[in-house]
Each structure stands twice: as structure tokens, then as C-alpha cells.
Amino acid sequence: MNAILKPRASHDAARTIQPAWVRITHWLNALAAVLMMLSGWRIYDASPVFQSFTIPPGITLGGWLGGALQWHFAAMWLLFFNALFYLAMNLVTGRFMSKFFPLSPRAILHDLGEALKGRLSHADPSHYNAVQKFAYLFVMLDIAVLIVSGLAIWKSVQFPLLRELMGGYDRARVVHFCAMSLLAGFIVVHLTMVALVPRSLLTMIRGH
Ligand code: HEM
């Protein structure tokens, strides 16, 4: 059928780079991640894992330990069910394999080198380069570690095996803190890359 005669809906679908469910789950995930991080910092301050390191209260959420726990426990359901839906949809639609694979250490190093030389092409916004694929898979795994270590801390009596696999309650807190720090690092790099390629933000907002 001639492109001009094509119904508008199918024309839009053909141009879609990020389907609606990816965009909705991405922004819900970003909201949940930020709420969890800011309230987590307040919880951390109430009993710092590293005695000499605390987070300035001004950049935390919740006002006090009780308030921060309420935020943390509310946002964790959003983070968990949203992540579950995102992963399930990615697997069922086959998007997970087509968007994030194939991937190899050689391809990551190659694309990283090209990116540092400013030679990486962003001409095709529907395609992730190897560094992006790696970063997105990394953050998915990191959020999974955050959820599992969080569960080990929250329900350490009910899940003794999980707690022991983490090396005990105190180590689970260190794991949780390290995974949070890696997420914070990802967000800084992620936002820098989005600022450098603003076209990608449009695809994550309107789909194309
Ligand atoms: C706060 C936690 C965040 C996490 C964990 C996160 C994670 C991700 C992941 C995993 C993807 C790939 C999604 C997929 O294709 O299935 C992605 C894509 C994207 N994210 Fe985020 N994101 C976060 C916040 C943000 C924020 C605040 C912005 C913008 C201000 C943003 C802008 C984008 C854009 C534009 C893309 C598409 C990149 C492209 O097409 O090249 N993200 N993000």
C-alpha cells in the first residue's frame, strides 16, 4: 500500500522506536529509583554502614527515619512490579534478545574506543551501541541485586538462607550500599549521555 494511503495508526507503529510499555516502565522506574535512593540515604544516615561517611540531610527524602522508611517501602513495590513487568514484556516480545544482543567484550571495547574519539554514530536511534547494551544490562542486574539485598535486610529473619548467601546481615547492608553507589554512577553517566544525544530523549518520550 502506498505510504500516503496508509492508515495513520499503522504508519505511527512502523516509526515507533520505543514502544509505549518501554516508555511507561522506563519513567516509572526512574521515579521509583530516585525515590528509593533519596529515602535510602536518610535511612543510611540513621545508622551509617561506614562510620565516617554520612549523606547531607538536605538531599535526602523522608525528614526522619520513620518517614524515610515509609517512602522506601512504598516505592519498592513500584520498583519491583514495574521491573517484573518490563522484564516479562521484554522476554515475551523477543525485544530482550534483539535489542541487547549480540554483545561481546570486544564489541564493548571497540565502541568505547570509538565513543572516546567522538566517532560513534548516532544516526540510527533504533539501535543501541555495544556500550549502551552493556550499560543497560548492567543496570538491570544492579537493580536485581538491590532488590535481593534489600529483601535480605528487610526480612533477614524470614529468609535466613538469603541472608547467609549475602554473608550475613551486615554484609548484606554493604552489598546494598555498593549496588546503590553503582546505580548512582550509572545515573550520572546515563544523564550525561542523554544530554550529549538529546534526540534519544525524544524517542523515550514520544516513541519515535
Ligand atoms: C533514574 C534511573 C534510571 C534508570 C535506572 C534508567 C535506565 C534505563 C534503561 C535500562 C534504558 C534502556 C531501556 C530499554 O531500551 O529497554 C534507558 C533508556 C533511556 N533513558 Fe534512562 N534510566 C533512568 C533515568 C533516566 C532519566 C532521568 C532520563 C532523562 C532525563 C533518562 C533517559 C533515557 C533515554 C533518553 C533512554 C533511551 C536511550 C537511547 O535511545 O539511546 N533515563 N534508561
Side-chain angles (χ1 to χ4, degrees):
M1 190 192 298
N2 186 308
I4 299 164
L5 299 176
K6 258 189 190 172
R8 189 180 155 72
S10 72
H11 184 67
D12 282 353
R15 291 194 307 155
T16 299
I17 293 169
Q18 301 289 15
W21 63 266
V22 170
R23 284 175 278 143
I24 294 168
T25 51
H26 174 268
W27 294 118
L28 286 178
N29 176 65
L31 174 71
V34 169
L35 292 178
M36 298 253 13
M37 193 171 292
L38 299 185
S39 55
W41 289 349
R42 172 62 69 157
I43 298 167
Y44 170 93
D45 276 356
S47 170
V49 178
F50 308 104
Q51 289 304 320
S52 56
F53 178 76
T54 53
I55 313 264
I59 57 167
T60 67
L61 177 71
W64 64 299
L65 175 60
L69 282 168
Q70 300 268 30
W71 276 105
H72 215 63
F73 289 151
M76 77 182 183
W77 296 113
L78 177 62
L79 184 83
F80 175 70
F81 284 113
N82 188 60
L84 210 60
F85 179 75
Y86 167 81
L87 278 182
M89 284 297 286
N90 255 310
L91 291 173
V92 169
T93 58
R95 182 179 181 273
F96 190 72
M97 292 311 288
S98 64
K99 201 81 176 170
F100 300 103
F101 294 93
L103 184 61
S104 66
R106 182 194 287 256
I108 298 170
L109 288 176
H110 174 267
D111 282 4
L112 189 63
E114 294 297 292
L116 292 175
K117 287 182 227 152
R119 286 207 306 234
L120 209 53
S121 167
H122 299 287
D124 178 6
S126 66
H127 173 81
Y128 288 149
N129 63 57
V131 181
Q132 275 175 303
K133 289 179 185 176
F134 172 76
Y136 295 151
L137 289 170
F138 165 81
V139 82
M140 288 175 212
L141 190 69
D142 189 48
I143 289 177
V145 171
L146 271 165
I147 292 173
V148 172
S149 56
L151 185 62
I153 299 167
W154 180 40
K155 295 286 176 196
S156 67
V157 176
Q158 289 86 340
F159 296 106
L161 181 61
L162 189 62
R163 184 191 65 221
E164 291 315 311
L165 283 174
M166 292 269 148
Y169 180 82
D170 290 319
R171 288 248 173 80
R173 284 192 72 196
V174 175
V175 171
H176 202 60
F177 184 89
C178 291
M180 177 281 294
S181 307
L182 289 172
L183 178 63
F186 167 85
I187 292 173
V188 171
V189 175
H190 191 47
L191 295 189
T192 308
M193 298 316 292
V194 173
L196 289 174
V197 190
R199 165 80 179 82
S200 65
L201 186 56
L202 282 180
T203 66
M204 205 33 117
I205 293 172
R206 62 176 194 197
H208 55 87

